[in-house]
Amino acid sequence: MFKALVMSKDEDSGKASASIKQIGLEDLPEGEVTVAVDYSTVNYKDGLCLSSNGGGLVRKYPHVPGIDFAGTVEASKDDRYKTGDKVVLTGWRVGEAHWGGYSQKANVRADWLVPLPEGLDARQAMAVGTAGFTAMLSVMALEDHGLQPGHGPVLVTGAAGGVGSVATAILAHLGYEVAGVTGRPETGDYLKSLGATSIVAREELNETVKRPLESETWSGCIDAVGGPMLARVLGQMKYGASVASVGLAGGAGLPATVIPFLLRGVNLLGIDSVMQPFDNRLRAWQRIATDLPMDKLEAMVHPAVLSDLPQLGADILLGQVKGRVVVDVNA
């Protein structure tokens, strides 16, 4: 038997709640690989899954959330993995449609796993997690579309969050000038410690303007906010620059015009981390191992255990989680 954080639904109220339970291997869903989980983390989707209605993501109860985990292969029916291999999993709707990482053991498909790259351990991999993986995918997409150091500042919105923190550290390490947007002035010193060269108050970009184009300011942008802020930023991009869109903390709407695309050749790049093909996943994790300074990563980490997760889930939905939470599922 082993412990897991299990979401159960009350039939009378229709509301779900979390509790730590002892379960067995026979309780886990089918999978080709059994992983002894070392660490998981907390993302915005995890907050939704931990909520009383499952955030529209969880359809079947009982359920074990946790969209990320890293650990050691315990048993495998697939030749690609053998007992003792270190692996990481993000995406594939694990933790949503399939039981996830808030458990000491997990059963998953072999196709969903990535070998842990040399230079990263399981704890570091979960300090990265889906948020950091998405940040690296964003940097790669911007570079694939021509972003280079020395061409002007790169804007990171929601910079103190999980994606933003890792993106700031990676970009700074690669030699980019980084402007971090935050609505929490107290995070300014934190962002500068990650390598941000300037701090932009959220209020400066939240106001919708009638002009479709403003001064060319940003050579690139990683946007975790969406909504009016993304619309505003599109009109401030330099000619031919790109925006990597990774989130919607400010809303799913986009009150913009097509003018930045037509007159400045701006590119809006959608970044999906859930269904990324294996080769690109491997490329991203290998880049993380070389391009994310481990001391900067450690500065983002807040440790947690399974019993902390219900409160952390509520906190992240309110934008009250800074940096990256690493959950020791065995503590």
Side-chain angles (χ1 to χ4, degrees):
M1 302 293 287
F2 51 92
K3 63 181 179 179
L5 187 81
V6 181
M7 298 291 296
S8 302
K9 193 171 188 177
D10 183 86
E11 294 302 326
D12 295 329
S13 67
K15 293 184 177 181
S17 60
S19 60
I20 296 175
K21 295 184 177 181
Q22 291 287 325
I23 62 174
L25 284 172
E26 67 278 4
D27 297 311
L28 296 178
E30 291 186 5
E32 298 149 351
V33 183
T34 302
V35 179
V37 179
D38 293 322
Y39 295 94
S40 186
T41 183
V42 180
N43 300 283
Y44 192 84
K45 275 188 178 179
D46 295 313
L48 293 173
C49 292
L50 288 164
S51 65
S52 61
N53 65 359
L57 300 176
V58 181
R59 304 297 173 87
K60 185 178 179 182
Y61 294 91
H63 179 70
V64 175
I67 70 170
D68 300 340
F69 65 77
T72 306
V73 173
E74 195 168 83
S76 176
K77 301 174 184 175
D78 190 286
D79 291 340
R80 287 172 289 180
Y81 296 99
K82 65 182 185 300
T83 301
D85 285 351
K86 303 296 183 180
V87 292
V88 59
L89 184 147
T90 63
W92 300 113
R93 298 206 66 210
V94 171
E96 304 171 47
H98 189 92
W99 282 21
Y102 293 165
S103 170
Q104 291 178 302
K105 296 185 191 296
N107 267 358
V108 293
R109 289 179 56 184
D111 287 343
W112 297 344
L113 295 169
V114 175
L116 200 62
E118 188 173 344
L120 279 184
D121 60 30
R123 182 178 180 275
Q124 291 169 330
M126 284 300 96
V128 174
T130 282
F133 176 62
T134 303
M136 190 72 250
L137 290 174
S138 302
V139 173
M140 287 162 45
L142 292 177
E143 290 178 339
D144 290 345
H145 283 78
L147 182 68
Q148 295 179 359
H151 291 181
V154 179
L155 189 71
V156 178
T157 70
V163 175
S165 293
V166 180
T168 298
I170 291 173
L171 288 166
H173 178 72
L174 292 173
Y176 292 96
E177 181 185 350
V178 183
V181 182
T182 181
R184 295 177 280 174
E186 68 276 11
T187 63
D189 288 342
Y190 163 73
L191 292 173
K192 288 184 177 180
S193 75
L194 297 180
T197 50
S198 61
I199 306 299
V200 180
R202 182 168 59 196
E203 293 74 22
E204 292 184 29
L205 294 174
N206 251 355
E207 182 185 356
T208 303
V209 296
K210 294 181 179 179
R211 300 188 306 278
L213 293 176
E214 299 181 72
S215 297
E216 297 182 45
T217 305
W218 316 114
S219 66
C221 173
I222 296 176
D223 174 60
V225 176
M229 185 177 294
L230 174 56
R232 181 81 182 275
V233 168
L234 287 170
Q236 299 179 353
M237 302 305 296
K238 293 190 173 187
Y239 188 89
S242 301
V243 177
S245 174
V246 303
L248 42 65
L254 186 58
T257 76
V258 297
I259 299 301
F261 310 120
L262 302 181
L263 298 187
R264 285 194 185 154
V266 171
N267 304 296
L268 182 57
L269 311 175
I271 307 297
D272 167 63
S273 66
V274 177
M275 307 302 289
Q276 281 286 321
F278 177 81
D279 288 348
N280 215 36
R281 288 177 182 273
L282 196 59
R283 178 188 169 207
W285 279 106
Q286 289 171 340
R287 285 285 305 270
I288 287 166
T290 58
D291 294 341
L292 175 58
M294 290 301 114
D295 59 330
K296 297 290 193 293
L297 181 66
E298 187 60 35
M300 306 175 199
V301 170
H302 301 275
V305 297
L306 288 177
S307 59
D308 296 324
L309 288 168
Q311 184 59 54
L312 286 168
D315 290 345
I316 200 167
L317 295 182
L318 295 173
Q320 295 175 353
V321 172
K322 182 182 77 173
R324 301 290 297 133
V325 175
V326 174
V327 182
D328 185 347
V329 301
N330 298 295

